[in-house]
Structure formats: C-alpha cells, structure tokens
Amino acid sequence: MSKKFTPQKIEVNQLAYNNAIKQAEAKIENFKAALNFAYNNHVKEADLNDTAFNESFTQEFKRCFLKENANKVQLEIPYEKLLDLLSVNLDTLKELEYKQHENTAQLEIVDNETVATEVSIEDFTVYTRNESENKRLAAKENLVKALSEVSEFQKVYPLSVVQATSNFLLFDIAKNEYRHLERTGVQAPRKYKQT
C-alpha cells in the first residue's frame, strides 16, 4: 500500500505578503478619506450606504448629496450647479475613487460601520506538488542541516555550495540563508499587484 501524498511547505513569499498587507491597509485608509470627504461636504452619515459607496464613491455621493440638498434651492437645478452653489469640488473624491479601483485588495463591508480586508498568508505560500518534490525538499533540509554543522568548524561559502550542487540549493543573500525553491519561474501566487 502506497503512502498518501501530503504537500509540504516550501517557502512563503514574505515580500509579496507584506506588500499585500500594505495595499489592504491603504485601501481602508482611502475608503475612510472618501467617507470623510462626503461627511464634510453636505452629506449625512445616516443617508450614506457604505456598500454602494464602496462600489462608486461619486454615484453614492451624488445620490446622498441630492437627497440632502436638492430642496435648499427653490428652483430645479442640475447637480453640477448645486455643487457649485455649495462650493463642493469633486476632484478629490474622483481621485480617491480612482485610487480605490486601482488598488486590487478586496474591501468587505462588515456592517454599515466597519470595513475590512483579508490577506491570507496561504495565498503567498508555495507547497510541494508531488512525492518526488517532498523527497527533494527532505534532501535539501538534510543538506542545509549538514552545512550548518560543518560551518561550526569551517567556513562554508554559499556560492560554492550553490555551484557544487548545480543549483539544487539556492542562497538568498538578503536573508543570509539557503532557499529550497529551485523550480524555475515558480513564484507564490499574487492576488495583489505591487504599486
């Protein structure tokens, strides 16, 4: 009876994960800035629907702005004229909306008071795909352990090890450690673009 294959973690793309967290935080801050713009420009908090606002800042602002201010002038005037009369410049809101749609992090409206994003480290983790890769990973871990033991007695040159093993092991100079991921072109999946 053969042993069932269990994927093992090779590595986590920590840089991409940290960038995704920064993007998610930036999206929340951008959303809050857009809300503050709306509340400071003749829109009541109770009128604003956060879900609709998340879809389109300008459309939901227009709906709430007209609801709140359309009766301030006796005449029926266009939205743009009403904005001018109340000295509201939408350029800031349009810029915030552009940033919001450009940022690929997913914003969730938890309730009409709370917004959140979720960034899972699993999206940036690379696992082995088959039993052969599991065996390679075990061999690499054993080699790294042996090199660590040898380095207690003698200087070990990582570049020489990488060359001697024909890139079986890779060395990350920034982290000063051996890496296990040798598959060419394989990276952790990126759900979030770097800006």
Side-chain angles (χ1 to χ4, degrees):
M1 185 193 270
S2 66
K3 195 166 86 172
K4 184 181 175 196
F5 167 69
T6 305
Q8 295 181 4
K9 185 190 298 187
I10 297 175
E11 73 174 3
V12 175
N13 188 338
Q14 202 66 42
L15 181 63
Y17 175 67
N18 291 338
N19 284 339
I21 289 174
K22 286 178 186 173
Q23 275 198 314
E25 290 170 349
K27 188 148 190 171
I28 290 173
E29 290 305 313
N30 190 65
F31 186 79
K32 288 179 182 177
L35 284 175
N36 287 334
F37 175 89
Y39 299 151
N40 293 330
N41 286 284
H42 310 282
V43 169
K44 287 185 179 174
E45 188 173 342
D47 293 337
L48 195 85
N49 179 326
D50 285 352
T51 304
F53 193 68
N54 186 37
E55 292 297 317
S56 174
F57 293 168
T58 53
Q59 289 299 316
E60 182 62 7
F61 177 82
K62 178 180 180 179
R63 184 190 69 78
C64 295
F65 184 82
L66 288 174
K67 179 180 178 182
E68 181 66 27
N69 302 295
N71 58 1
K72 288 188 177 180
V73 180
Q74 299 297 328
L75 303 171
E76 191 173 312
I77 61 172
Y79 170 63
E80 291 77 17
K81 291 281 186 194
L82 190 57
L83 287 172
D84 287 341
L85 284 173
L86 295 174
S87 302
V88 176
N89 183 350
L90 284 183
D91 289 343
T92 302
L93 188 62
K94 288 178 182 177
E95 184 178 326
L96 290 169
E97 183 171 38
Y98 176 76
K99 285 182 184 176
Q100 192 77 355
H101 292 302
E102 188 178 59
N103 188 326
T104 57
Q106 295 299 313
L107 194 66
E108 296 176 27
I109 309 298
V110 177
D111 54 39
N112 222 21
E113 297 288 320
T114 310
V115 293
T117 60
E118 183 179 338
V119 179
S120 172
I121 198 159
E122 286 301 311
D123 294 334
F124 303 93
T125 304
V126 179
Y127 291 92
T128 57
R129 297 179 293 192
N130 53 42
E131 194 58 44
S132 172
E133 286 186 3
N134 278 356
K135 288 178 183 177
R136 291 174 65 89
L137 182 62
K140 288 177 185 187
E141 288 171 350
N142 290 337
L143 181 55
V144 169
K145 184 179 175 187
L147 289 170
S148 175
E149 289 176 12
V150 168
S151 69
E152 292 177 19
F153 308 106
Q154 190 72 35
K155 175 72 176 156
V156 176
Y157 295 96
L159 179 60
S160 299
V161 172
V162 169
Q163 289 174 335
T165 61
S166 300
N167 291 337
F168 183 71
L169 272 185
L170 298 177
F171 190 78
D172 187 340
I173 296 172
K175 294 179 183 176
N176 198 29
E177 63 184 25
Y178 289 98
R179 292 182 51 218
H180 299 294
L181 188 63
E182 88 291 336
R183 288 184 264 152
T184 308
V186 174
Q187 296 178 346
R190 292 190 180 184
K191 288 189 175 181
Y192 309 101
K193 294 180 184 175
Q194 294 179 345
T195 56

